[in-house]
Amino acid sequence: MPLLIKNADIVNADSRYTADILCEGDVITRIDRGITAPSGAEVIDAAGKHVFPGFIDPHTHIYLPFMGTFSKDDYETGTKAALVGGTTTLFEMVCPSRSMSHTEGFALWRQQAEGRACCDYSFHMGVTRFDADSVAQLREIVAAGVGSFKVFLAYKGAFGVDDGELWQTLSLARDLGVVVTAHCENETLVAELQKRLLAAGRTGPDAHHDSRPPRVEAEGVNHLASFAELTGATIYIVHLSCREALERAIAARERGVKVFVETLIQYLVLDKTWAERPGFEGAKYVMSPPLRDATNQAVLWDGLASGLVSTVATDHAPFDFVGQKPMGRDDFTKIPNGIPSLEDRVNLLWTHGVKRGRLTPEQFVAVGSTNAAKIFGLWPRKGVIQPGADADLVLYDPAYRGTISAKTQTQNVDYNAFEGFPIEGRPTVVTVRGEVAVRNGVFCGTVGRGRFLSRVPRRPAGC
Ligand code: URP
Ligand code: ZN
Ligand code: ZN
């Protein structure tokens, strides 16, 4: 059924104007003033709402076997939560164990998503080892539409690669034209600091930060940038959390390294005092890199406004407070790492970014949607409202006032790290390729309608 959105305040990353939007089939077919509804069309009046391109989360873990357990969401619950929060496309990290081949890993993650995903999705292919079979397998996976890799410089003995593997991965990526996304923390420093803290009796969640201080992350960024400089690969630093790490990324960019930077909504609105809460409460706030000293928040907001930081992701990795986080009750190094936020990213970015005057609405669209589409080869299919683009639209009500709570959330986890945080706006209607998937803030779409988005590697469009 055609869909006509009337009186839309259309906000793109580089433009803002009022018009009607006609969606037919999966795509936007016309944008104009005074469009007459075709017969049988659903008409939605967007007066008083902003209309944004569907938001894109470039870094999530919906299916994640990690630290002896599994993340709680599956593709049905995770993508419903994404849609309720205004995210219409997400990128998942395929994270095969070192004993699994890349081919097996890719097949397993596809199997998790197919038939369950409610929004569109793509993968970053985790390169968790590099052996004789890797080149052929990774070439095949890229040919199947996965135009980006993921490497971990952290998680010794689990997902982490050594320097030889890093060199080979970046060299292959350069040859294939794929972007390499990277978790940057020096794993040896983490392991040694963890031992030292435990030996000193620091076993609680508050010690997590000190086992991965800013210097550990800055060292990881610098290390990756050196390898990228000498291989010629394009890198994308995931979940950058602090000033020291950003300085290393900027220094690399200034000497010609092709580097993009992602931060997370958690680092923008939470600080390390949350992980220092008494009892075991701080475990809710254990993730890597850790929440930082609050002084880093202004650095990250400024980075987003100036373009030094391209994207805001979630690194959504949901582990229950009861039953999963307590795996590390007596040893903080065993607390499953992750702070879920897939459902709340857009509303928090709007509330703390646009409403507090740190970002313009256009910058909000850029860092929440368009830049990820450009970097990872989805633009202009995604990340922009224009004829020919997929009809992924977010009708956003700036008059809405509400409070985040685990009691009302869609994501499948037993707590919310932003419990009680006010939000000053929310998506009322969300469409996925022309189908209304959220109405009045409630999921009403089709389970399994989400599509795997095949991406052809190419040099990222400038952003
Ligand atoms: O703590 C985190 N970030 N958990 C998810 C895995 C990762 O490092 O991205
Ligand atoms: Zn990571
Ligand atoms: Zn991650």
Side-chain angles (χ1 to χ4, degrees), residues 28 52-53 58 83 103 133 142-144 149 154 158 168 172 176 199 316 327 338 348 355 392 426 447 455:
I28 298 169
F52 301 123
L83 285 166
T103 305
D133 300 326
V142 171
F149 292 159
Q168 289 177 293
L172 179 65
L176 296 177
H316 182 72
M327 292 164 71
L348 287 166
K355 297 297 285 184
D392 297 348
R426 74 157 185 185
V447 175
R455 296 177 289 125

Side-chain angles (χ1 to χ4, degrees), residues 4-8 10 17-23 28-36 385-387:
L4 179 62
I5 313 285
K6 298 288 289 179
N7 307 308
I10 298 171
Y17 59 101
T18 303
D20 303 340
I21 306 168
L22 181 62
C23 311
I28 298 169
T29 51
R30 203 176 146 206
I31 300 179
D32 211 337
R33 287 176 187 259
I35 299 178
T36 307
I385 299 176
Q386 67 180 31

Side-chain angles (χ1 to χ4, degrees), residues 333-368:
T333 68
K334 298 192 167 65
I335 299 171
N337 283 203
I339 303 180
S341 53
L342 183 52
E343 195 163 344
D344 304 309
R345 173 185 68 127
V346 171
N347 291 331
L348 287 166
L349 189 63
W350 172 261
T351 303
H352 292 265
V354 181
K355 297 297 285 184
R356 303 286 173 275
R358 292 164 169 140
L359 299 176
T360 65
E362 291 87 343
Q363 288 170 330
F364 166 70
V365 169
V367 302

Side-chain angles (χ1 to χ4, degrees), residues 59 61 64 66 150 152 155 183 239 287-288 315 317 337-338:
H59 181 174
H61 303 272
L64 179 65
F66 187 45
K150 169 73 185 286
F152 292 89
Y155 305 134
H183 176 135
H239 52 39
M287 66 173 301
S288 297
D315 192 11
N337 283 203

Side-chain angles (χ1 to χ4, degrees), residues 69-72 318-328 334 336:
T69 186
F70 289 84
S71 55
K72 276 299 297 297
F319 298 103
D320 277 345
F321 184 56
V322 176
Q324 290 186 297
K325 292 281 185 180
M327 292 164 71
K334 298 192 167 65

Side-chain angles (χ1 to χ4, degrees), residues 15 20 42 69 84 95 132 141 145-146 163 183 203 216 234-235 259 325 327 333 445 455:
S15 62
D20 303 340
E42 174 175 1
T69 186
V84 167
C95 297
I141 291 165
V146 181
D163 280 352
H183 176 135
T203 57
V216 165
T234 300
I235 52 173
V259 51
K325 292 281 185 180
M327 292 164 71
T333 68
R455 296 177 289 125

